[in-house]
Each structure stands twice: as structure tokens, then as C-alpha cells.
Amino acid sequence: MSDHSSMPTARPETTRLAPSPTGALHLGNARTFLITWALARRAGWRIVLRIEDLDGPRIKPGAADDIVRTLEWLGMDWDEGPLIQSATPEPHEEAMGALARAGLAYPSDLTRTQIEAAASAPQAERGGEIVGAESRFPPELRPEGFDAPKEFDPAQSWRFVTPDEETVVEDAFMGARAVRVQRTIGDFVIWTRRGQPAYQLAVVVDDHRQGITRVVRGDDLLDSAARQMLLYRALGLGPVPGHCHLPLVVGPDGRRLAKRHGDTRVDEYRRLGAPAERLIGLVAFWSGVRERRAPMSAAEFRDGLALRTIPAGPITFTAEDDQWLRSG
Ligand code: GLU
């Protein structure tokens, strides 16, 4: 005889803010993080701040501190962290070792050029297409004995043996998406020759050990969700967190907001004198919280935000948006 309603929940709902310190926070990142923070605070989820500093050469010294300060300036808070991803390499190494021993990963030093050359060769015509910035790594390129148990050598680059099956990502914002990773991406890199885990492996290991039950992030990572689900299963981890992928902010040319659209760093507008309320007011306008731009506090944004009012398509950053921030 148990009263389930009074039982403590084993896994408190937890999300994370996971910035990569590859540069300063721009308006697009600020929007995603503000939405994540607001959804979490509304629903009572815990928030972990995790600095994803495993992106080798792209990491900029000092960027992590700047990002933390910018998030605070925007009125966000968190319950744990900042946790620095590179500070605890052991869990990543253990997971990688387990996959190698299980024959679910193999070392591969084929370069991108070699993979593309193989992909365009006639025998690989069917599945050898180039996917986005990434080339599909077809099973034909697997070395002999790829699925034999192996000792993990961190000095080599390792690929995951992607099963040829469909993975369904149930996304709270985008709906259900079926992806056949083997056909789109193929065997993907999970350990880099720099001796570090690749993003896909690091994120799964860390989300799991940090008790993350909700992943909210930009929809540029929607494709990655399927790869991460495959890794959860291969590692015997779970349950898989709930996913919520949000459309990105794009420039007037329809391309993802970046340097080419001018200086859209939060800190730059702050330096020009824009108060945080103006920035949040713009994010509120972009997220269906307000019909026009008006200054707003983080608390008001939190109370007004609902997933269903967020527009489904990409948000375009316009000259008027820029003007609104500059006239603060
Ligand atoms: N660090 C990644 C980024 O800044 C986010 C990773 C994730 O949310 O899984 O784009």
C-alpha cells in the first residue's frame, strides 16, 4: 500500500544552459538561453550551467567568464555550476572505453577529403551524399574487424558503429521526427584525435551524469538529437531527456545570425548603453510574448512565455530590431 503522490520523485526535472565559449554571446544565443531559463523557472526545473569547452581550437580564452557575466546581466540564474566540461575527463574516457570494448566503436583516421572522395565514387553513389557541412560516413568505409572488441586508445579518432535503423525524436516544439542516422550521417566521430570526446559523446555523458531530463536548445542541433539517442542506448544510459528544439535567429538574408550581420553580441549593445530590459523586450517580441517591442524584465518574460506562442519559423533580426537596441 503506497501513496505514490507523496513519494519523492527520484529524478528532479533538470535542464541545462550549455554555452560553448567560442566567442561572446550573441542575440540568438541570448534568446535560446532566456527561453530555456524561463521555461525552467516556470515549471520548477533545476538549471545546470555547463560550459562546453571541448571544442578544441575554437575555444576563446576569457569567453566563458564573459558569457557567465552576460547571462547574469540578463537576469538569469541557475542552481548548479558553472561546471566546466573539460574539468572531468574520466566519465568521457570511461564511456568511450565501454563502446570500444563492446565493439560499438572503431578507430578511423580517414580525412574528410578521403571520405568525400569515397562518397563520390560510383559504388557508393546511393548513400554517399554530403550532408550539410558533414560528409556521410558510409558503412563501406568501415575497416575490417570494426565490430571486434578493442582497447580504447585516446590518441586516435574513433567513430561510432551507427545501426541502420530509424530513431524517432519526440520534440516538444517540432513534434516527432524520424531520422535514419545511418543514411544521413553514417558512422559519426565520437572521439577526436586531439584526445578529447567529440560533442555528441560529451553531451550524452554529461547530460546523463548531471541528471538532465530536459534539453532545450537551437534547432541546429535537432539532427544531433537522434545521434545522441543512439549513444544513450549503446551506453545503456537512460531515460533519454525530453527534447525541445527552437528555431534560430537569422539575419535578413535568411542565414543563421553571425558576424556577417554586424556586431550582434549582447555585450556590444550593453556597451552602447542598452539596458537588459530592452534586450529582453526584443526577445519577448521574437517569442510571441509581446506584439511589439517594449522593455521587459526577466521575471515578466518568464511569466509571459509559453511554448505555444513561440513562432514556428526562424526569427529574422531586422534593422528595426538593431535600432530598438541602439536607441536605449
Ligand atoms: N554547446 C552547444 C552550443 O553552444 C549546445 C549544446 C547542446 O545544447 O546540446 O551550441
Side-chain angles (χ1 to χ4, degrees):
M1 297 265 291
S2 63
D3 176 9
H4 289 280
S5 61
S6 64
M7 274 169 57
T9 42
R11 286 174 100 216
E13 292 276 20
T14 306
T15 191
R16 77 293 203 282
L17 304 172
S20 297
T22 49
L25 214 65
H26 64 68
L27 293 172
N29 312 127
R31 173 177 182 265
T32 308
F33 289 137
L34 270 165
I35 292 177
T36 309
W37 172 84
L39 292 173
R41 287 295 177 241
R42 271 285 283 283
W45 307 339
R46 291 179 69 248
I47 302 177
V48 174
L49 173 62
R50 181 172 75 221
I51 305 294
E52 303 216 315
D53 63 339
L54 289 176
D55 198 358
R58 293 177 59 230
I59 301 301
K60 303 241 173 13
D65 288 345
D66 289 348
I67 289 172
V68 172
R69 272 194 294 273
T70 308
L71 294 173
E72 284 170 342
W73 179 73
L74 285 166
M76 284 176 247
D77 60 354
W78 41 89
D79 306 295
E80 194 182 343
L83 304 177
I84 311 296
Q85 208 169 27
S86 65
T88 13
E90 298 82 8
H92 304 136
E93 288 161 6
E94 277 162 27
M96 185 55 238
L99 292 174
R101 277 194 304 281
L104 293 172
Y106 56 87
S108 165
D109 56 6
L110 286 186
T111 63
R112 195 188 150 120
T113 319
Q114 288 170 310
I115 298 164
E116 281 171 16
S120 57
Q123 71 272 22
E125 234 164 53
R126 260 182 318 113
E129 73 272 29
I130 309 297
V131 184
E134 219 162 339
S135 318
R136 173 173 179 258
F137 190 98
E140 300 88 78
L141 291 181
R142 288 172 179 165
E144 214 170 298
F146 70 90
D147 55 356
K150 287 170 210 71
E151 248 341 282
F152 167 48
D153 170 7
Q156 284 184 294
S157 164
W158 290 72
R159 285 181 185 270
F160 177 62
V161 181
T162 302
D164 190 9
E165 61 188 53
E166 200 170 78
T167 304
V168 180
V169 181
E170 304 277 358
D171 193 273
F173 192 78
M174 319 279 274
R177 292 283 173 109
V179 190
R180 228 179 160 93
V181 179
Q182 179 51 261
R183 304 291 165 86
T184 56
I185 300 287
D187 290 355
F188 53 92
V189 174
I190 51 177
W191 194 270
T192 71
R193 73 187 85 233
R194 291 190 308 274
Q196 288 185 321
Y199 159 70
Q200 307 293 351
L201 180 68
V203 86
V204 165
V205 170
D206 288 349
D207 280 349
H208 172 73
R209 72 197 183 93
Q210 292 160 6
I212 305 302
T213 60
R214 303 274 178 166
V215 169
V216 183
R217 59 189 174 192
D219 67 6
D220 53 329
L221 292 170
L222 181 62
D223 273 357
S224 291
R227 272 173 271 179
Q228 292 163 15
M229 287 173 70
L230 292 174
L231 287 176
Y232 265 94
R233 209 185 54 211
L235 288 163
L237 305 177
V240 172
H243 286 114
C244 179
H245 289 90
L246 303 164
L248 294 180
V249 179
V250 299
D253 57 357
R255 293 164 75 194
R256 181 181 170 168
L257 202 59
K259 284 214 183 83
R260 60 182 163 262
H261 300 114
D263 196 340
T264 64
R265 289 174 303 164
V266 173
D267 288 351
E268 178 59 12
Y269 289 109
R270 185 181 175 188
R271 195 184 65 76
L272 292 170
E277 286 70 23
R278 227 163 226 272
L279 228 127
I280 297 168
L282 176 60
V283 170
F285 170 64
W286 280 347
S287 309
V289 175
R290 284 275 168 86
E291 271 167 35
R292 41 177 213 93
R293 300 173 196 84
M296 186 181 260
S297 69
E300 286 173 294
F301 178 73
R302 174 198 63 205
D303 295 343
L305 182 77
L307 216 46
R308 72 193 135 70
T309 60
I310 300 176
I315 306 297
T316 307
F317 173 67
T318 62
E320 293 80 54
D321 294 331
D322 179 62
Q323 204 42 51
W324 158 258
L325 295 175
R326 283 171 189 277
S327 53

